[in-house]
Amino acid sequence: MSAEDANPAATPTPCGDIQGDGRWMSMHERFVSDGKGKEPEVVFVGDSLIQLMHQFGIWRQLFSPLHSLNFGIGGDATQHVLWRLYNGELDNISPKVIVLWVGTNNHGHTSEEICGGIMAIVQVIKNKLPQAHTLVLGLLPRGKMPNPLRERNAMVNKLVQEALSSLPYASFLNVDPGFVLSDGSISHQDMYDYLHLTPKGYQAVCEPLHEHIKSLLEKPAEH
Amino acid sequence: MSGDENPAAVPKPVEDVQGDARWISQHTRFVQECKDAEPDVLFIGDSMIQLMQQYDIWRELFSPLHALNFGIGGDTTCNVLWRVQNGELENIRPKVVVLWVGTNNHEHTAEQVAGGVMAIAQFLATRLPKAKIIVLGLLPRGERPNPLREKNATVNSLLHSLLLQIPQAQFLDVSAELVHSDGTISIQHMFDFLHLTSSGYRVIAKPLNDLLLQILEETPEERRASLV
């Protein structure tokens, strides 16, 4: 019995169709078939913060030129992304870089469990795509004022950064440009609902991210 | 018939289960905006309204009309009803209110959802007797035909007749533009088969903008002179 079985955040779990329109599975199937037709250099995987990036000008401006695919699904927690990657989304492609951004939706899980979930995803990527580098993005602060979820996300980031520091095939990137102001607040100009980024918020996150990805793409494969 | 009989017409705030109080923060911000702004158009509803403000279309078509956006993702009719009854209409006299809500009412039947939308429309009509109300039809959702499409279509059909009872309200349904002849919805219009892309918003914005301009042209300016 492996440790993963005890961690719900690290147990591959599809999203059930509670609402009745099958959207989650439609998105997953689309991502699997995208893999068959395209040859991405970079694949972005995660939750709505990844998904929404695709909807704004920033995507075409910064990431399309790098030959990127976007496999984000709003609401996904680590166990959902884990299931998707186990079940076809990494098949038939050989990107150089995977950008992983997930964990903020893991409600009810501890920081340790969320870290475990993220590390399980890093492991499945390594197993399926041994030549790829996984870039794990730090979770952003959320909520207008200080609150327990900010603390949880900060702890997840600390744990993940430590866990990744010994791995040659993965690394951690803090993409928070300083969204929390001196009075502890987050502006709705950066996060329109104190969670999701505005186009301005994305600009601040994506410019350094883009530079970092380019430097990863320029490196020769090490392993 | 009292609101108590229809759960979709019972005003309810969203409880902070996640722990970061985002819903109440957004509501509080909207109440504050009412103190500072003099909007001619108020958009209120769920994420379909909220996301619109993040695309270029908002700056191009709706900001110039002096519009405010009070959309909150995930909201049901109960939540929007609570918000309009708890400060989001204070101190403002918009000429038009655009209402778009109902697709998130998962616990309710189509009849209940229509009743919930009507409760909001009736409240708006009473509180803002000089305003016109545009109620947007619920869009189809999901990649292929499914029960939620049928439910949303039933809500629309009920609203189409019920809204005749409110003379200052109009119903605008742009759903047809978004479903292909094979019954599928394009990912170019709805990036997750629910929320609209930039192109998707352009499809619905045109008829909405045309209707808004028409209403705003008809509304005389003399109200402003009568404000104390």
Side-chain angles (χ1 to χ4, degrees):
Chain A
M1 176 86 54
S2 71
E4 278 75 20
D5 293 340
N7 180 0
T11 307
T13 313
C15 244
D17 182 23
I18 324 166
Q19 294 177 358
D21 53 11
R23 295 181 307 108
W24 191 87
M25 198 50 81
S26 293
M27 301 295 306
H28 167 64
E29 283 164 6
R30 181 162 293 267
F31 297 156
V32 172
S33 81
D34 276 352
K36 295 187 180 130
K38 303 180 183 168
E39 289 177 11
E41 298 266 280
V42 188
V43 177
F44 290 71
V45 183
D47 55 30
S48 59
L49 288 172
I50 288 288
Q51 185 175 41
L52 265 183
M53 206 189 282
H54 198 196
Q55 301 313 314
F56 299 129
I58 197 100
W59 183 267
R60 197 173 326 111
Q61 184 197 331
L62 294 181
F63 301 121
S64 297
L66 303 181
H67 305 289
S68 304
L69 283 185
N70 187 305
F71 289 178
I73 300 185
D76 266 15
T78 55
Q79 61 273 23
H80 305 124
V81 170
L82 193 56
W83 188 93
R84 295 198 274 124
L85 299 186
Y86 266 121
N87 287 275
E89 289 184 18
L90 296 181
D91 298 355
N92 306 302
I93 53 174
S94 43
K96 297 202 174 103
V97 179
I98 305 279
V99 178
L100 175 64
W101 209 7
V102 67
T104 201
N105 294 322
N106 279 65
H107 298 295
H109 299 156
T110 64
S111 314
E112 289 74 16
E113 286 171 335
I114 300 171
C115 175
I118 291 170
M119 294 312 291
I121 296 170
V122 171
Q123 190 60 47
V124 69
I125 296 171
K126 167 156 194 310
N127 295 343
K128 290 212 173 228
L129 300 172
Q131 305 301 314
H133 186 94
T134 298
L135 182 61
V136 182
L137 304 186
L139 304 185
L140 294 178
R142 50 185 286 174
K144 180 165 186 224
M145 301 306 295
N147 64 82
L149 289 187
R150 284 201 200 169
E151 292 158 36
R152 181 204 70 176
N153 283 4
M155 179 58 72
V156 169
N157 291 347
K158 179 169 179 293
L159 294 169
V160 169
Q161 186 163 22
E162 278 165 25
L164 290 175
S165 59
S166 55
L167 302 179
Y169 50 85
S171 55
F172 177 84
L173 183 65
N174 173 14
V175 290
D176 178 5
F179 284 129
V180 178
L181 306 176
S182 53
D183 66 351
S185 70
I186 287 177
S187 167
H188 67 276
Q189 313 278 7
D190 293 322
M191 293 185 189
Y192 60 85
D193 61 355
Y194 313 108
L195 172 63
H196 295 102
L197 295 165
T198 60
K200 173 177 180 278
Y202 271 117
Q203 202 78 34
V205 164
C206 292
E207 272 158 13
L209 172 59
H210 172 249
E211 287 307 307
H212 199 93
I213 296 172
K214 277 205 312 186
S215 71
L216 286 172
L217 288 172
E218 277 152 27
K219 268 196 210 155
E222 284 163 22
H223 46 270
Chain B
M1 173 169 302
S2 76
D4 294 339
E5 295 184 60
N6 178 2
V10 175
K12 272 196 219 163
V14 169
E15 263 187 75
D16 180 26
V17 293
Q18 294 179 357
D20 55 4
R22 296 183 305 106
W23 192 86
I24 205 75
S25 295
Q26 292 171 80
H27 166 66
T28 304
R29 178 172 101 228
F30 298 156
V31 173
Q32 186 58 45
E33 283 181 35
C34 285
K35 299 190 176 128
D36 306 324
E38 287 180 7
D40 284 338
V41 188
L42 175 66
F43 286 74
I44 188 158
D46 55 28
S47 61
M48 306 304 291
I49 289 288
Q50 186 172 40
L51 252 189
M52 208 189 292
Q53 191 172 22
Q54 302 309 315
Y55 290 113
D56 292 338
I57 195 110
W58 183 264
R59 198 179 327 114
E60 285 168 26
L61 292 183
F62 302 119
S63 288
L65 304 182
H66 304 114
L68 281 187
N69 186 308
F70 288 0
I72 300 186
D75 265 17
T76 63
T77 54
C78 306
N79 309 136
V80 171
L81 187 57
W82 188 92
R83 294 198 279 124
V84 295
Q85 292 181 352
N86 285 274
E88 290 186 19
L89 299 180
E90 293 291 312
N91 301 308
I92 56 171
R93 308 246 190 128
K95 294 176 183 168
V96 191
V97 180
V98 178
L99 173 63
W100 207 5
V101 67
T103 201
N104 295 322
N105 281 59
H106 296 297
E107 314 285 300
H108 305 137
T109 64
E111 291 72 21
Q112 288 170 336
V113 178
V117 175
M118 284 303 291
I120 301 167
Q122 266 149 4
F123 184 82
L124 291 171
T126 311
R127 272 296 298 274
L128 302 169
K130 301 218 169 114
K132 292 286 195 299
I133 301 160
I134 299 174
V135 177
L136 293 179
L138 305 186
L139 294 184
R141 48 186 288 172
E143 189 177 14
R144 296 180 197 88
N146 64 81
L148 286 189
R149 285 213 201 161
E150 290 157 36
K151 181 184 173 189
N152 282 5
T154 304
V155 172
N156 290 347
S157 152
L158 290 167
L159 283 177
H160 195 249
S161 11
L162 288 170
L163 283 167
L164 296 170
Q165 298 166 22
I166 306 179
Q168 72 234 69
Q170 285 186 69
F171 183 66
L172 180 61
D173 184 6
V174 294
S175 316
E177 319 269 347
L178 294 163
V179 183
H180 292 168
S181 49
D182 65 354
T184 61
I185 284 177
S186 168
I187 207 155
Q188 308 299 336
H189 287 145
M190 290 188 178
F191 61 84
D192 62 355
F193 307 111
L194 172 62
H195 296 104
L196 294 164
T197 60
S198 178
S199 311
Y201 273 113
R202 285 191 187 277
V203 169
I204 62 124
K206 176 93 187 28
L208 174 58
N209 190 242
D210 288 347
L211 181 54
L212 278 170
L213 290 175
Q214 187 193 313
I215 293 172
L216 290 169
E217 268 153 42
E218 288 166 1
T219 314
E221 283 296 331
E222 96 283 358
R223 279 191 312 106
R224 290 217 179 269
S226 69
L227 286 174
V228 173

